[in-house]
Amino acid sequence: MYAELHCLSNFTFLRGASRAEELVERSAQLGYAALAITDECSVAGIVRAHVAARDHALPLIVGSEFRLQDGLRCVLLAQDRTGYGRLCRLITRGRRAAPKGQYRLCRDDFTEIVGDTNEGDRGQGTCPLSPGLLCLWLPGATPEPAEARWLSGHFPTWIAVELLTTGRDRRRLESLQALGRELALPLVAAGDVHMHARGRRALQDVLTATRLGTTVERAGLGLYPNGERHLRPIARIAELHPPELLQATLDIAACCTFSLDELRYEYPREIVPVGHTPASWLRELTEEGIRHRWPRGVPEATRQAIEHELDLIAELAYEPYFLTVHDIVRFARSRRILCQGRGSAANSAVCFCLGITEVDP
């Protein structure tokens, strides 16, 4: 058995050559125990992967790949709801610090958002106390032990062993095993997957050349030397990796229990003043709007329409949604930003009272 823990979809633009749905379907066909979608500084592909994984009864792990400013590379996997929240905060931090389409993260960003784990509680195939995130260190061609030491001070950390039949696999495995013993860190197999099937190799080469600003013919060593970065049969992976590295993938997958099904809409608490509930505050704002819209008194038919809408909003528990939109519109207009509700909002008497629309329904 095997779980793939390092896999990019086409939401890692100009790197991943397969859609999340294709990756999930292929993983299920191959009998994988689980699949992690780990787009670079992104969780954009997770929703589509989640739907596909549910259809194929395949456990899905939410994660992301990062390259820090100093060159350190790693994959973070969400164990639980807390870890997912921290992962998203880290992604937001990186994206906001750089121009659109890029990201910028340093070690201080990691430290501030994830904090420290308990010393001496670092993986080893168990589910340790942690900030809800597990880490796969992606060592470079010349591994820097200091990177792994720093990561393991913040996360339960494994050394990712990605053997891609380059002709140096045995030497690579032996060096990482020695490093694992030196650092007292476990190793785990991973695939650095960029496509669901080998047949996407040509497309992946085109994406790489485009990213490098050149042609496939001229890309040379900028292209991967082979098509091994696809979802491979478990038997093939087992030929390359020791059994304990495959078992480690299952141990990690068992620790990552987070699912998107746990998420619900969470609106800002600040939209409701102290002493009010969402329902009472929406009622107060609506009544204030009624007095503004109909200073001589609201027509009875209109009052009935407003009450009917408020009852329906309460039945669906949608008050926070209306209050959030009202807050956005209020802010925009206070800054003279053109803002107007549209679509079905134009038929809402409550939206008219809140100033979200200017059309009397």
Side-chain angles (χ1 to χ4, degrees):
M1 293 289 286
Y2 174 73
E4 181 54 65
L5 303 176
H6 184 199
C7 178
L8 306 181
S9 79
N10 61 340
F11 279 97
T12 300
F13 300 123
L14 300 183
R15 288 185 64 199
S18 292
R19 294 180 289 110
E21 299 92 332
E22 293 173 319
L23 293 163
V24 169
E25 181 179 5
R26 181 60 176 159
S27 296
Q29 291 172 350
L30 292 171
Y32 283 17
L35 172 69
I37 296 295
T38 58
D39 285 311
E40 187 173 3
C41 196
S42 173
V43 289
I46 289 300
V47 172
R48 296 185 184 187
H50 172 73
V51 174
R54 187 170 53 198
D55 292 341
H56 290 278
L58 178 73
L60 178 71
I61 301 170
V62 178
S64 188
E65 175 191 305
F66 297 96
R67 181 189 295 272
L68 276 61
Q69 290 293 289
D70 61 4
L72 185 155
R73 294 181 64 232
C74 67
V75 167
L76 297 182
L77 304 174
Q79 284 184 271
D80 50 28
R81 176 65 180 84
T82 297
Y84 175 74
R86 288 186 167 127
L87 182 70
C88 290
R89 288 176 58 201
L90 196 58
I91 291 169
T92 300
R93 171 75 63 88
R95 292 296 180 181
R96 291 185 66 184
K100 185 176 181 180
Q102 303 175 35
Y103 71 97
R104 184 180 299 113
L105 286 168
C106 63
R107 298 191 188 193
D108 287 345
D109 295 314
F110 273 57
T111 302
E112 182 177 339
I113 287 178
V114 305
D116 293 324
T117 56
N118 292 339
E119 284 296 324
D121 208 355
R122 310 230 179 112
Q124 304 295 340
T126 65
C127 296
L129 295 174
S130 74
L133 292 168
L134 303 182
C135 178
L136 308 186
W137 175 45
L138 305 175
T142 305
E144 295 289 342
E147 294 182 348
R149 291 191 181 96
W150 182 83
L151 286 170
S152 64
H154 294 78
F155 311 95
T157 299
W158 284 257
I159 300 174
V161 180
E162 301 184 322
L163 304 179
L164 300 163
T165 62
T166 61
R168 298 185 293 274
D169 284 356
R170 178 173 296 181
R171 188 187 315 164
R172 177 70 166 174
L173 175 60
E174 291 174 351
S175 68
L176 293 180
Q177 286 174 326
L179 187 59
R181 290 190 292 270
E182 174 189 342
L183 299 174
L185 288 177
L187 277 60
V188 63
D192 193 21
V193 173
H194 284 58
M195 48 199 169
H196 75 290
R198 189 187 294 272
R200 287 290 169 86
R201 167 72 188 279
L203 174 59
Q204 211 282 322
D205 285 349
V206 171
L207 295 173
T208 301
T210 303
R211 176 165 49 84
L212 298 176
T214 186
T215 64
V216 172
E217 182 181 13
R218 295 178 179 176
L221 296 177
L223 303 177
Y224 289 124
N226 57 39
E228 287 295 294
R229 284 173 170 80
H230 68 281
L231 293 168
R232 297 174 289 182
I234 296 175
R236 176 57 177 155
I237 298 171
E239 290 176 356
L240 300 171
H241 299 83
E244 60 269 21
L245 271 64
L246 272 65
Q247 180 60 45
T249 70
L250 305 180
D251 295 337
I252 293 173
C255 288
C256 297
T257 59
F258 171 73
S259 168
L260 289 189
D261 289 332
E262 299 176 38
L263 301 182
R264 297 292 183 271
Y265 284 112
E266 295 182 22
Y267 294 97
R269 295 186 180 92
E270 294 82 0
I271 59 175
V272 181
V274 176
H276 277 281
T277 65
S280 69
W281 184 235
L282 179 62
R283 162 68 71 175
E284 183 161 323
L285 291 175
T286 301
E287 293 293 342
E288 180 182 316
I290 289 173
R291 291 190 293 272
H292 171 72
R293 295 295 193 187
W294 296 281
R296 297 183 180 179
V298 58
E300 181 59 29
T302 302
R303 166 61 77 174
Q304 291 178 4
I306 292 171
E307 294 299 329
H308 172 72
E309 285 189 28
L310 288 173
D311 288 343
L312 182 59
I313 291 168
E315 180 182 338
L316 298 173
Y318 277 180
E319 291 97 343
Y321 173 69
F322 279 80
L323 293 172
T324 300
V325 175
H326 167 265
D327 193 51
I328 293 170
V329 171
R330 179 195 57 77
F331 173 83
R333 290 183 177 161
S334 73
R335 301 299 177 91
R336 301 182 64 82
I337 298 171
L338 182 62
C339 183
Q340 178 65 56
R342 62 182 294 275
S344 58
N347 194 41
S348 166
V350 170
C351 284
F352 183 58
C353 293
L354 297 176
I356 294 171
T357 66
E358 294 299 324
V359 179
D360 186 335

